[in-house]
Amino acid sequence: MEGSSSLQQVSCRAKGGAPGFKVAILGAAGGIGQPLAMLMKMNPLVSVLHLYDVVNSPGVTADISHMDTGAVVISLSLSLWGHVLLYNVNHGLVRGFLGQSQLEDALIGMDLVIIPAGVPRKPGMTRDDLFNINAGIVKTLCEGITKCCPDAIVNLISNPVNSTVPIAAEVFKKAGTYDPKRLLGVTMLDVVRANTFVAEVMGLDPREVDVPVVGGHAGVTILPLLSQVKPPCSFTPEETDYLTSRIQNGGTEVVEDFLYLFLSCSLLGSAWLYLQPIRISELPSITEEHNTLSCLTDDSNFFVHMSEAKAGAGSATLSMAYAAVKFADACLRGLRGDASVIQCAFVASQVTELPFFASKVRLGRTGIDEIYPLGPLNVYERVGLEKAKKELAESIQKGVSFIKK
Ligand code: NAD
Ligand code: LMR
């Protein structure tokens, strides 16, 4: 009878002792969580993957567990109480955990905890508008970490990152388990976007481009250092304005219904003069266009890039999952002892006078081994840095006060 195996004793044995790290994803059933779980299941450095959420984690776990990646199948017993497994799914390499009562089980013994739990933005919102809901979620999850895996590396994705990282730090301090080397706010998506947009403008392969993005993860706090791009590139002032604005507004480009209007100076080949984003909803004649399209007007002097984007259905999920996996993989390679693993992240820092700042860090066996200084900045970047620091200081303080109060 179909399904009868759930009423019998079933035993599946582990094959070989696969080396690797234990990773938990908190918020695993969400828009980021699901593709992130899939990509982590494909990572050979992961031996155990725990998927925790307050909804739908059993289904996501069952789904992911059918992927024929990874080697370990842990002994599994299903019995008359087999239905219980629907709520605490154990599929060998991947295990699902549902609801607050299973948070601690999800966290025990983890080497790396990735947190994309929380609500995403809708059009018209800033990341800071998410504070009221996400601050409490991050606090609760971090309290679980202090109890169950205080030595784990924590990759915090939930927005507003500029405040949730200080919240996590305060929770850990309160519990006496804070190690600033192990707490990292994930700003990798800004780097991924910067590499892509710079590659587009310069006609390069994005995989060969490396743009340091420092500061934080919201608006003007996202500061791409275009003077330090590798391979070395020189940008016109218009290109610098366009790239900086596009990188700072990358998240909004996905959330909102923006139209980007550029005036192309066709006589000078590829130079573009960036004007400004305009809401598609404010232009009724073209609201029927969906997704993304590019078109040239008759005289080729205007380049119009339209994106109706997710328009209420959330924020970046797929590019974020990609970026999160790139970052988590760097953390795991650091834990394994690989040399020269360097990525940008929002961390406790003395690079500026602020207590937290995103910059390049070297990852090692105990988390962050080294935080690099910003390096030489040009005038444009120095002005951007001052703006970034002003906003960052407020966001950091908001996070700290949330716990201290
Ligand atoms: P989503 O709504 O699709 O998924 C969030 C998931 O979190 C849901 O499955 C939800 O059930 C779960 N959740 C809610 N409360 C929880 C709790 N207490 N414990 C565990 N899980 C809980 O949202 P999303 O698109 O996946 O985005 C998640 C977060 O990531 C948002 O805050 C978003 O702003 C942020 N984000 C950050 C970056 C970045 O670069 N750092 C990029 C994109 C999105
Ligand atoms: C992003 O940069 O895509 C995320 O921070 C999500 C958002 O709200 O923009």
Side-chain angles (χ1 to χ4, degrees):
M1 192 180 80
E2 197 178 347
S4 63
S5 66
S6 67
L7 300 176
Q8 296 162 3
Q9 291 287 319
V10 180
S11 177
C12 313
R13 289 193 190 84
K15 203 163 190 184
F21 296 101
K22 295 179 184 151
V23 177
I25 300 176
L26 312 183
I32 296 167
Q34 292 198 35
L36 173 59
M38 181 184 81
L39 293 168
M40 289 309 283
K41 174 73 162 66
M42 294 164 69
N43 188 317
L45 290 178
V46 178
S47 60
V48 171
L49 186 58
H50 283 188
L51 304 181
Y52 171 81
D53 205 302
V54 289
V55 293
N56 297 340
S57 44
V60 173
T61 306
D63 192 355
I64 299 270
S65 73
H66 292 179
M67 292 167 64
D68 62 351
T69 62
V72 178
V73 182
I74 293 170
S75 180
L76 167 66
S77 274
L78 300 178
S79 67
L80 277 173
W81 293 281
H83 64 279
V84 170
L85 292 172
L86 281 175
Y87 297 97
N88 189 355
V89 183
N90 182 342
H91 286 295
L93 175 66
V94 193
R95 293 179 202 155
F97 300 85
L98 181 69
Q100 176 85 36
S101 63
Q102 296 189 354
L103 176 62
E104 295 190 5
D105 288 342
L107 287 171
I108 286 168
M110 292 296 111
D111 300 303
L112 172 67
V113 180
I114 311 175
I115 311 183
V119 292
R121 277 200 286 167
K122 291 198 181 301
M125 292 172 86
T126 65
R127 292 177 182 84
D128 186 58
D129 292 333
L130 305 173
F131 185 95
N132 287 346
I133 299 182
N134 289 354
I137 293 174
V138 167
K139 173 176 178 280
T140 306
L141 297 177
C142 289
E143 283 166 353
I145 293 171
T146 61
K147 278 196 207 152
C148 304
C149 52
D151 293 332
I153 306 285
V154 177
N155 288 181
L156 195 37
I157 295 172
S158 317
N159 270 318
V161 168
N162 294 352
S163 302
T164 53
V165 170
I167 288 174
E170 290 302 317
V171 172
F172 297 154
K173 276 183 205 167
K174 225 173 173 175
T177 64
Y178 183 45
D179 179 355
K181 290 165 68 177
R182 297 178 191 272
L183 173 61
L184 301 104
V186 181
T187 57
M188 189 79 212
L189 181 53
D190 302 316
V191 174
V192 163
R193 286 178 177 139
N195 293 345
T196 305
F197 303 156
V198 166
E200 264 172 32
V201 166
M202 302 310 284
L204 296 168
D205 180 339
R207 290 167 299 183
E208 281 156 22
V209 177
D210 178 28
V211 186
V213 183
V214 303
H217 179 69
V220 296
T221 73
I222 299 170
L223 185 61
L225 300 182
L226 296 174
S227 65
Q228 296 180 22
V229 169
K230 286 186 192 144
C233 298
S234 74
F235 302 99
T236 63
E238 290 79 14
E239 285 168 341
T240 302
D241 268 346
Y242 160 68
L243 282 167
T244 304
S245 171
R246 182 115 193 253
I247 295 161
Q248 289 181 334
N249 294 299
T252 309
E253 190 178 320
V254 179
V255 172
E256 303 268 1
D257 56 346
F258 271 121
L259 175 149
Y260 288 86
L261 182 62
F262 308 97
L263 175 64
S264 100
C265 189
S266 46
L267 289 176
L268 295 179
S270 61
W272 301 100
L273 175 63
Y274 172 65
L275 294 183
Q276 66 173 50
I278 303 167
R279 291 239 160 97
I280 290 176
S281 48
E282 289 165 8
L283 296 173
S285 59
I286 52 171
T287 50
E288 282 174 14
E289 299 292 346
H290 289 276
N291 304 317
T292 302
L293 74 88
S294 304
C295 63
L296 288 170
T297 58
D298 290 346
D299 62 4
S300 292
N301 280 335
F302 289 93
F303 173 81
V304 180
H305 172 85
M306 289 200 310
S307 171
E308 199 172 61
K310 300 205 176 181
S315 56
T317 52
L318 302 175
S319 54
M320 182 59 236
Y322 166 82
V325 163
K326 216 172 165 184
F327 189 71
D329 182 67
C331 291
L332 294 180
R333 283 185 288 116
L335 282 180
R336 184 174 64 178
D338 289 15
S340 305
V341 183
I342 296 167
Q343 293 295 354
C344 289
F346 184 65
V347 298
S349 165
Q350 294 180 345
V351 159
T352 69
E353 64 275 26
L354 297 175
F356 295 90
F357 201 79
S359 64
K360 282 201 169 184
V361 303
R362 183 162 51 80
L363 298 157
R365 286 189 191 280
T366 55
I368 301 163
D369 270 357
E370 188 175 357
I371 301 179
Y372 295 98
L374 300 184
L377 306 187
N378 61 27
V379 176
Y380 188 90
E381 291 160 353
R382 284 203 295 274
V383 172
L385 177 63
E386 291 315 308
K387 277 192 209 155
K389 283 196 296 192
K390 193 165 174 291
E391 185 175 317
L392 257 178
E394 288 167 17
S395 307
I396 292 169
Q397 190 48 46
K398 189 169 175 179
V400 172
S401 309
F402 177 75
I403 300 298
K404 287 207 163 147
K405 264 194 248 161

